[in-house]
Amino acid sequence: MTEGSFAITALGLAAAFCTTTAYAPQALKAWRSRSTADISLSMFLLMVTGIVLWLAYGVLIGDMPLIVANGITLCLAGTILALKLRHG
């Protein structure tokens, strides 16, 4: 791995960390409170669909930062979506 490709991978991992962990506080809050009244169902349906597509893309091109980030993000956003569907 060259220094340039390492830097690009590190950039991708840093971006993945930020966008993935951004869902953690909301997922935790929704899990604890069982309240999702202020969360947009259409936004989360669209977001989870996009995450699934990014994950599939990452798998198809073999991009580990995309696979890891979107796999974890899918778990977090999917939890929020499931709680929204269950508790409205």
Side-chain angles (χ1 to χ4, degrees), residues 2 8 13-14 16-17 36 39-40 61 65 67 72 74-75 77-78 81:
T2 67
I8 291 169
L13 289 170
F17 176 79
T36 57
I39 296 174
S40 169
I61 66 169
I67 295 167
I72 295 169
L74 181 59
C75 291
L81 179 59

Side-chain angles (χ1 to χ4, degrees), residues 67-82:
I67 295 167
V68 171
N70 286 292
I72 295 169
T73 303
L74 181 59
C75 291
L76 294 169
T79 297
I80 295 167
L81 179 59

Side-chain angles (χ1 to χ4, degrees), residues 13-42:
L13 289 170
F17 176 79
C18 291
T19 58
T20 298
T21 58
Y23 283 94
Q26 187 66 57
L28 189 58
K29 181 179 179 186
W31 183 267
R32 286 181 178 164
S33 69
R34 301 287 193 240
S35 175
T36 57
D38 293 334
I39 296 174
S40 169
L41 177 59
S42 58

